[in-house]
């Protein structure tokens, strides 16, 4: 699962649902992070034949393709696979940035490989690619009380959470850049909480 010697582009995929109605949902933090990364690169997203929006540039000293699948979360695997094949990116140079229920709000964990933990976007990507891709897991915490998980992830961040959201998105983007420039272990040492 090493990327040693690979000098082609990395594919950084923010997971979310397309459409203005979903834009500020917890489930769309992946889109928020890649939007900030595109801003940092001075790049604009453009439609791609893979059913995704892509922005190309350099981050962390590497060539990077940022992507936002324009299919719903549970169908992310198709666009991600099409992009991987189009840009000829090995699975170990694919990074999925996504919301994670089992991590406290604003905490991060980086890893390569593993299960999908019930996340429909990861389930779809893993079905298409296999499990050996990087993940930047952005903690959103568990739903309060008896709220259904689907209702929780498809709601906007609470007013309390929004106070720290810009910082959280910024830190998540920093973690992606560290993964690209320093490798997984060093990035984990800095950002895993």
């Amino acid at each position: 699962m090493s990327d040693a010697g690979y000098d082609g582009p990395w594919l950084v995929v923010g997971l979310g649902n397309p459409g203005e109605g979903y834009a500020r949902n917890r489930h769309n933090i992946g889109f928020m992070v890649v939007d900030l990364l595109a801003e940092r690169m001075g790049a604009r997203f453009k439609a791609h034949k893979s059913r995704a929006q892509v922005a190309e540039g350099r981050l962390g000293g590497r060539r990077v393709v940022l992507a936002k699948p324009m299919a719903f979360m549970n169908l992310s695997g198709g666009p991600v696979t099409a992009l991987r094949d189009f840009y000829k990116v090995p699975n170990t140079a694919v990074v999925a940035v996504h919301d994670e229920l089992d991590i406290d709000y604003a905490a991060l964990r980086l890893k390569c490989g593993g299960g999908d933990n019930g996340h429909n976007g990861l389930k779809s990507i893993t079905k298409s690619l296999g499990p050996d891709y990087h993940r930047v897991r952005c903690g959103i915490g568990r739903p309060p009380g008896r709220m259904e998980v689907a209702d929780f992830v498809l709601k906007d961040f609470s007013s309390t959470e929004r106070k720290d959201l810009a910082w959280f998105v910024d830190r998540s983007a920093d973690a992606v850049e560290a993964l690209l420039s320093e490798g997984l272990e060093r990035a984990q040492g800095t950002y895993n909480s």
Side-chain angles (χ1 to χ4, degrees), residues 136-157:
V136 175
R137 304 160 70 207
C138 305
I140 60 168
R142 298 293 275 157
R146 296 174 184 259
M147 184 186 285
E148 291 291 323
V149 166
D151 294 335
F152 180 69
V153 299
L154 294 175
K155 280 202 178 343
D156 289 357
F157 286 98

Short mmCIF file of all heavy atoms in Angstrom, two decimals, residues 136-157:
data_model
loop_
_atom_site.label_atom_id
_atom_site.label_comp_id
_atom_site.label_asym_id
_atom_site.label_seq_id
_atom_site.Cartn_x
_atom_site.Cartn_y
_atom_site.Cartn_z
N VAL A 136 -9.46 10.51 4.63
CA VAL A 136 -9.37 11.57 5.64
C VAL A 136 -10.76 11.64 6.24
O VAL A 136 -11.72 12.07 5.61
CB VAL A 136 -8.94 12.92 5.02
CG1 VAL A 136 -8.97 14.02 6.08
CG2 VAL A 136 -7.54 12.79 4.43
N ARG A 137 -10.85 11.13 7.48
CA ARG A 137 -12.14 10.96 8.16
C ARG A 137 -12.41 12.17 9.05
O ARG A 137 -11.69 12.39 10.02
CB ARG A 137 -12.08 9.68 8.97
CG ARG A 137 -11.72 8.47 8.12
CD ARG A 137 -11.19 7.30 8.93
NE ARG A 137 -12.23 6.70 9.74
CZ ARG A 137 -12.01 6.05 10.87
NH1 ARG A 137 -10.77 5.92 11.34
NH2 ARG A 137 -13.00 5.54 11.55
N CYS A 138 -13.42 12.94 8.69
CA CYS A 138 -13.77 14.18 9.38
C CYS A 138 -14.92 13.90 10.35
O CYS A 138 -16.04 13.62 9.92
CB CYS A 138 -14.19 15.24 8.37
SG CYS A 138 -12.97 15.55 7.07
N GLY A 139 -14.63 13.96 11.64
CA GLY A 139 -15.61 13.58 12.65
C GLY A 139 -16.81 14.50 12.71
O GLY A 139 -16.66 15.72 12.77
N ILE A 140 -18.00 13.90 12.70
CA ILE A 140 -19.23 14.68 12.88
C ILE A 140 -19.98 14.23 14.14
O ILE A 140 -21.00 14.81 14.49
CB ILE A 140 -20.15 14.62 11.64
CG1 ILE A 140 -20.58 13.18 11.33
CG2 ILE A 140 -19.47 15.27 10.44
CD1 ILE A 140 -21.71 13.08 10.31
N GLY A 141 -19.49 13.19 14.82
CA GLY A 141 -20.16 12.70 16.02
C GLY A 141 -21.42 11.93 15.69
O GLY A 141 -21.80 11.79 14.54
N ARG A 142 -22.05 11.40 16.75
CA ARG A 142 -23.26 10.60 16.60
C ARG A 142 -24.50 11.48 16.73
O ARG A 142 -24.47 12.52 17.37
CB ARG A 142 -23.34 9.52 17.69
CG ARG A 142 -22.21 8.51 17.70
CD ARG A 142 -22.12 7.58 16.56
NE ARG A 142 -22.87 6.36 16.52
CZ ARG A 142 -23.14 5.75 15.36
NH1 ARG A 142 -22.80 6.28 14.22
NH2 ARG A 142 -23.77 4.62 15.34
N PRO A 143 -25.62 11.03 16.14
CA PRO A 143 -26.86 11.80 16.28
C PRO A 143 -27.32 11.84 17.74
O PRO A 143 -27.12 10.87 18.47
CB PRO A 143 -27.86 11.05 15.41
CG PRO A 143 -27.21 9.83 14.92
CD PRO A 143 -25.77 9.84 15.33
N PRO A 144 -27.94 12.95 18.14
CA PRO A 144 -28.44 13.03 19.51
C PRO A 144 -29.70 12.19 19.69
O PRO A 144 -30.46 11.98 18.74
CB PRO A 144 -28.76 14.52 19.67
CG PRO A 144 -29.05 15.00 18.28
CD PRO A 144 -28.19 14.17 17.38
N GLY A 145 -29.89 11.70 20.90
CA GLY A 145 -31.12 10.97 21.24
C GLY A 145 -31.40 9.83 20.30
O GLY A 145 -30.54 9.01 20.01
N ARG A 146 -32.62 9.80 19.81
CA ARG A 146 -33.06 8.70 18.93
C ARG A 146 -33.09 9.11 17.46
O ARG A 146 -33.72 8.43 16.64
CB ARG A 146 -34.44 8.21 19.36
CG ARG A 146 -34.45 7.60 20.75
CD ARG A 146 -35.87 7.29 21.15
NE ARG A 146 -35.93 6.79 22.51
CZ ARG A 146 -36.04 5.51 22.81
NH1 ARG A 146 -36.12 4.60 21.87
NH2 ARG A 146 -36.10 5.13 24.07
N MET A 147 -32.44 10.22 17.13
CA MET A 147 -32.46 10.68 15.74
C MET A 147 -31.83 9.62 14.83
O MET A 147 -30.79 9.05 15.15
CB MET A 147 -31.69 12.00 15.60
CG MET A 147 -31.75 12.58 14.18
SD MET A 147 -30.70 14.04 13.93
CE MET A 147 -31.66 15.27 14.76
N GLU A 148 -32.47 9.39 13.71
CA GLU A 148 -31.94 8.45 12.72
C GLU A 148 -30.65 9.00 12.12
O GLU A 148 -30.53 10.20 11.89
CB GLU A 148 -32.96 8.22 11.60
CG GLU A 148 -34.20 7.47 12.02
CD GLU A 148 -33.91 6.01 12.34
OE1 GLU A 148 -33.08 5.38 11.65
OE2 GLU A 148 -34.51 5.51 13.31
N VAL A 149 -29.72 8.09 11.82
CA VAL A 149 -28.43 8.49 11.23
C VAL A 149 -28.65 9.26 9.93
O VAL A 149 -28.05 10.30 9.70
CB VAL A 149 -27.52 7.26 11.02
CG1 VAL A 149 -26.35 7.60 10.11
CG2 VAL A 149 -27.02 6.74 12.36
N ALA A 150 -29.53 8.76 9.06
CA ALA A 150 -29.77 9.42 7.76
C ALA A 150 -30.26 10.85 7.97
O ALA A 150 -29.84 11.77 7.25
CB ALA A 150 -30.76 8.62 6.93
N ASP A 151 -31.14 11.05 8.93
CA ASP A 151 -31.64 12.41 9.21
C ASP A 151 -30.51 13.30 9.70
O ASP A 151 -30.42 14.47 9.32
CB ASP A 151 -32.76 12.38 10.26
CG ASP A 151 -34.02 11.68 9.75
OD1 ASP A 151 -34.22 11.64 8.51
OD2 ASP A 151 -34.79 11.18 10.58
N PHE A 152 -29.65 12.76 10.55
CA PHE A 152 -28.55 13.52 11.14
C PHE A 152 -27.55 13.97 10.08
O PHE A 152 -27.19 15.15 10.01
CB PHE A 152 -27.85 12.67 12.20
CG PHE A 152 -26.70 13.33 12.89
CD1 PHE A 152 -26.90 14.40 13.75
CD2 PHE A 152 -25.40 12.87 12.69
CE1 PHE A 152 -25.83 15.01 14.40
CE2 PHE A 152 -24.33 13.46 13.34
CZ PHE A 152 -24.55 14.53 14.20
N VAL A 153 -27.11 13.05 9.21
CA VAL A 153 -26.07 13.41 8.23
C VAL A 153 -26.61 14.33 7.14
O VAL A 153 -25.85 15.08 6.53
CB VAL A 153 -25.36 12.17 7.61
CG1 VAL A 153 -24.67 11.35 8.69
CG2 VAL A 153 -26.30 11.32 6.78
N LEU A 154 -27.92 14.29 6.91
CA LEU A 154 -28.52 15.14 5.88
C LEU A 154 -29.08 16.45 6.44
O LEU A 154 -29.83 17.14 5.78
CB LEU A 154 -29.61 14.37 5.12
CG LEU A 154 -29.09 13.19 4.28
CD1 LEU A 154 -30.23 12.41 3.65
CD2 LEU A 154 -28.11 13.67 3.21
N LYS A 155 -28.69 16.77 7.67
CA LYS A 155 -29.04 18.06 8.26
C LYS A 155 -27.80 18.96 8.21
O LYS A 155 -26.68 18.49 8.22
CB LYS A 155 -29.45 17.89 9.73
CG LYS A 155 -30.87 17.42 9.92
CD LYS A 155 -31.35 17.80 11.30
CE LYS A 155 -32.78 17.43 11.60
NZ LYS A 155 -33.66 17.13 10.52
N ASP A 156 -28.04 20.27 8.18
CA ASP A 156 -26.93 21.22 8.25
C ASP A 156 -26.27 21.14 9.62
O ASP A 156 -26.90 20.71 10.60
CB ASP A 156 -27.44 22.65 8.03
CG ASP A 156 -27.87 22.90 6.58
OD1 ASP A 156 -27.73 22.00 5.73
OD2 ASP A 156 -28.35 24.02 6.32
N PHE A 157 -25.01 21.55 9.69
CA PHE A 157 -24.34 21.62 10.98
C PHE A 157 -25.13 22.54 11.91
O PHE A 157 -25.72 23.53 11.46
CB PHE A 157 -22.90 22.14 10.80
CG PHE A 157 -21.97 21.14 10.19
CD1 PHE A 157 -21.69 21.16 8.83
CD2 PHE A 157 -21.38 20.16 10.98
CE1 PHE A 157 -20.83 20.24 8.27
CE2 PHE A 157 -20.52 19.23 10.42
CZ PHE A 157 -20.24 19.27 9.07
#
